[in-house]
Amino acid sequence: MSAFDSFPLGKPAFVTHVLDRAAHLRSNDEKLFALESHPDARAYVIYRDSLLVRQEAGGSRVLLSVDEAVKLGANPGTIFLGLRDGAPVFGMGIAANAVEKLLTRDDVAVTELRGMVMQGAVPTEQLSAIAMAKSMVSWHQRHGYCANCGTRTAMKEGGWKRECPSCKAEHFPRTDPVVIMLVTHGDRCLLGRQKQFLPGMWSCLAGFVEVAETIEDAVRREIFEESGIHCTDVTYYMTQPWPYPSSLMIGCAARATSDEIVVDKAELEDARWFTRDEVTLMHSRTHPDGMFAAHPFAIAHHLIGRWVHGANDTGA
């Protein structure tokens, strides 16, 4: 099975969740310590945007035993992700100096997650748990001090809370909502390019939801700010957790009420209208000019594919 086949329409990466989060166990330190030392306990080890993996004859193994992870240099603090078939699964971080010591070894590697996902090197059923581990490890690394008084905070409740010993403030991991939308105008759709995209790649426009803003307003605002296009009839499609570092992509469709594009060059390299025939070729990566749409691991691919197949036509 190719990486493209791993993500059929409506099933981008990070959405298939196989863990029981077992939140009732988070406040029981005694049970958590017992789970961590359980022989079936496993962990995903995160380093920045990468995973620590075992290189074996059958390929890369991303789920390590807790003891194995610690011996390889992972930080001792574990984040309880949940249970899979009754076995505990944790997230762990690893410091840069520990990673340096592993770089000369042939049996382990620190591999960039996005590349592994796009190549189909990670079982799709594990991606949601990996996304959880990556987001949580990143949150702990960036929120070690109390935002209220500046005191060093302590990990609590299996890693799902940090608590300040001084002012007693409680800090919880956050998820940032992001709207990502396909805007159509008759038999055309609006796609944009960012400077960091691969040559030939076009995708949906997207942006963060602001404070006290509805999803619908965020869609209309972002589209207008980035492209100068006014739109209406905002509809919801699906969401995708996105661990970069911790966002929730909210997939929407909208109908344009204008078609003259004014690109915000601070946000986009370019934006233009594409016909359905063009986008069909881009979606299947058969366009004669080498243009292509987002990879199937991303929700943008599925928003575009849904329109290609006529599922969200909104008229002229």
Side-chain angles (χ1 to χ4, degrees), residues 49-79:
D49 288 340
S50 299
L51 272 173
L52 177 61
V53 301
R54 275 286 194 185
Q55 304 284 48
E56 299 176 333
S60 299
R61 175 166 57 87
V62 299
L63 196 55
L64 313 179
S65 72
V66 172
D67 183 62
E68 184 180 21
V70 171
K71 288 179 179 178
L72 289 171
N75 299 331
T78 60
I79 301 162

Side-chain angles (χ1 to χ4, degrees), residues 248-263:
L248 182 67
M249 309 300 292
I250 305 168
C252 297
R255 179 174 62 86
T257 58
S258 63
D259 66 354
E260 184 176 349
I261 297 173
V262 180
V263 177

Side-chain angles (χ1 to χ4, degrees), residues 18-20 40 44 63 82-89 123 125-126 129:
V18 296
L19 291 185
D20 170 9
D40 292 333
Y44 297 105
L63 196 55
L83 304 173
R84 181 170 184 180
D85 299 326
V89 181
E125 69 272 12
Q126 295 194 48

Side-chain angles (χ1 to χ4, degrees), residues 13-14 16 27 37 79 94 143 155 183 228 238 287 303:
F14 311 121
T16 303
S27 58
S37 60
I79 301 162
I94 186 169
H143 293 83
M155 183 187 292
V183 179
M238 69 176 296
H287 195 285
L303 283 164

Side-chain angles (χ1 to χ4, degrees), residues 134-276:
K134 183 183 179 306
S135 292
M136 292 295 290
V137 167
S138 176
W139 177 72
H140 281 287
Q141 290 173 342
R142 292 179 291 112
H143 293 83
Y145 294 87
C146 179
N148 186 50
C149 73
T151 302
R152 180 74 182 180
T153 55
M155 183 187 292
K156 299 289 184 180
E157 295 193 6
W160 289 87
K161 180 173 79 172
R162 294 193 71 91
E163 190 172 86
C164 178
S166 179
C167 71
K168 307 305 179 185
E170 297 177 324
H171 305 276
F172 298 90
R174 58 176 290 171
T175 295
D176 298 316
V178 177
V179 288
I180 180 166
M181 45 275 170
L182 187 71
V183 179
T184 59
H185 189 269
D187 206 41
R188 300 180 298 168
C189 75
L190 179 69
L191 299 177
R193 270 192 55 78
Q194 295 184 5
K195 291 179 181 179
Q196 68 268 27
F197 283 2
L198 293 172
M201 177 179 167
W202 294 78
S203 190
C204 299
L205 274 59
F208 287 99
V209 180
E210 294 188 345
V211 173
E213 185 176 43
T214 67
I215 292 171
E216 294 84 356
D217 282 345
V219 168
R220 289 186 285 263
R221 175 184 55 78
E222 284 288 344
I223 290 296
F224 179 72
E225 287 178 357
E226 295 187 357
S227 69
I229 298 296
H230 292 280
C231 63
T232 187
D233 298 339
V234 177
T235 57
Y236 164 80
Y237 172 41
M238 69 176 296
T239 57
Q240 179 189 28
W242 192 249
Y244 296 97
S246 186
S247 297
L248 182 67
M249 309 300 292
I250 305 168
C252 297
R255 179 174 62 86
T257 58
S258 63
D259 66 354
E260 184 176 349
I261 297 173
V262 180
V263 177
D264 179 358
K265 292 294 186 178
E267 294 286 338
L268 298 174
E269 182 180 84
D270 199 5
R272 54 165 283 195
W273 294 104
F274 290 88
T275 67
R276 194 187 302 264

